[in-house]
Amino acid sequence: MSLDLVGQSTDWLQNNQTLLIEYCVNIVSALLTLVIGILIARMISNALYKIMLKKQVDGIVASFTSNMTKYLILAFVVAAALSRVGIQTASLVAIIGAAGLAIGLALQGSLSNFAAGVLLIIFRPVKKGEFVEVSGVAGSVESVQIFTTVLITPDNKMVVVPNNNVLSGNIVNYTRTGQRRIDLVIGVGYSSDLKKTKTVIEQVLQSNEKVLKDPAWTIGVLALADSSVNFAVRPWAKSSDYWDVYFSLHENIKMALDEAGIEIPFPQRDVHLIQKEAAA
């Protein structure tokens, strides 16, 4: 019986030798198509990314566009490889379409993140390297990916925010205009000469090279507080110099006021004791 099985197998191989050779050739051809297609997709994607950077296109746009191009090429490569082994791509597309509908209903959040990512690339409210605040997180934009936006916080933490969260909330961009106003509140004692205080603060602002002359700064009495007269000091600086100016002004204003003999009071409260005579 085993001899009959061997004989039948030999006869089938002899009769279908051409088909087997053709099938093997098609499989090898499909594998080569897949491998070469993947390499070509990577090469085109990397070349497109470099060209866009040379054309001074924003890094986020370049990264997003190159990735989308790679995935589109890979989709065509897979379809071509499947057609080489005799799989009808038309029916495959119909099956993928039906499956895609079911998957789309299950992954509505991911699809909304993808759509939000496309809108972020088109309207570009954020760019690579800008310092922004989105969805309650503040940091520098590292990249806008297909589904998420990556931020690097000032303490060097990586935060991944879904694109839909970025687009659905307020986007605070601290870098785009190139300038930021620094809001300081400086309190002096009620016995201090207010004109002299204002002059001293102006001298400190003028001596700081990173404080911008245009727009002009603002110095004025903000409030008559419980223990001090509070001045609002609002100079402007470049976005990149914000924290340097913020810290240096606090230090220099304090030193200048001390040299001028102007008191910076600390909170205090007067307590009055009322003594009552004991009843006779």
Side-chain angles (χ1 to χ4, degrees):
M1 188 172 179
S2 59
L3 294 175
D4 291 340
L5 182 61
V6 172
Q8 290 176 2
S9 300
T10 303
D11 292 339
W12 186 87
L13 290 173
Q14 290 176 351
N15 294 331
N16 297 277
Q17 184 176 5
T18 303
L19 292 176
L20 286 174
I21 294 174
E22 183 180 355
Y23 188 69
C24 291
V25 170
N26 288 337
I27 291 178
V28 173
S29 177
L31 291 175
L32 289 175
T33 301
L34 193 61
V35 172
I36 295 174
I38 292 174
L39 294 176
I40 292 175
R42 289 179 179 176
M43 291 174 59
I44 293 176
S45 175
N46 293 335
L48 181 62
Y49 180 76
K50 292 178 181 179
I51 290 172
M52 294 182 74
L53 289 183
K54 287 183 179 179
K55 296 294 183 179
Q56 296 183 346
V57 177
D58 184 63
I60 290 177
V61 177
S63 176
F64 190 89
T65 304
S66 62
N67 285 332
M68 289 299 299
T69 302
K70 180 175 68 175
Y71 294 137
L72 288 174
I73 295 174
L74 288 177
F76 284 110
V77 168
V78 171
L82 291 175
S83 65
R84 292 297 301 174
V85 294
I87 298 177
Q88 296 296 324
T89 55
S91 59
L92 181 64
V93 169
I95 295 173
I96 292 176
L101 178 60
I103 294 173
L105 293 175
L107 299 176
Q108 292 182 18
S110 297
L111 293 177
S112 64
N113 286 327
F114 174 78
V118 173
L119 293 177
L120 287 173
I121 294 301
I122 293 175
F123 296 106
R124 301 173 67 189
V126 299
K127 296 181 181 179
K128 182 179 176 62
E130 290 184 333
F131 190 84
V132 300
E133 184 177 347
V134 294
S135 191
V137 180
S140 300
V141 179
E142 179 68 17
S143 64
V144 175
Q145 301 177 0
I146 295 177
F147 298 109
T148 59
T149 296
V150 180
L151 301 179
I152 303 298
T153 63
D155 55 349
N156 207 31
K157 295 177 182 177
M158 185 182 77
V159 181
V160 180
V161 183
N163 287 335
N164 190 43
N165 291 1
V166 175
L167 203 61
S168 61
N170 294 330
I171 300 175
V172 182
N173 194 321
Y174 294 99
T175 308
R176 182 65 58 89
T177 59
Q179 298 174 345
R180 288 184 64 182
R181 192 182 73 182
I182 303 170
D183 293 348
L184 306 179
V185 178
I186 306 298
V188 298
Y190 271 92
S191 60
S192 302
D193 186 333
L194 298 186
K195 291 184 178 180
K196 182 179 179 181
T197 301
K198 185 175 182 180
T199 300
V200 171
I201 295 174
E202 283 183 342
Q203 291 174 350
V204 173
L205 297 183
Q206 290 174 351
S207 63
N208 194 313
E209 297 179 353
K210 293 184 178 180
V211 172
L212 300 178
K213 305 302 186 292
D214 185 23
W217 55 66
T218 300
I219 303 174
V221 176
L222 178 66
L224 302 177
D226 293 338
S227 303
S228 63
V229 178
N230 293 338
F231 277 83
V233 182
R234 296 174 178 173
W236 291 80
K238 293 181 179 179
S239 299
S240 57
D241 296 333
Y242 178 85
W243 289 111
D244 289 340
V245 177
Y246 182 88
F247 293 130
S248 63
L249 284 182
H250 274 101
E251 179 180 353
N252 294 334
I253 289 175
K254 171 64 169 63
M255 294 172 61
L257 292 177
D258 288 344
E259 291 179 2
I262 299 174
E263 178 190 6
I264 300 178
F266 51 86
Q268 54 186 311
R269 179 174 297 174
D270 292 335
V271 179
H272 300 274
L273 299 178
I274 299 177
Q275 294 181 350
K276 293 184 178 181
E277 296 182 357

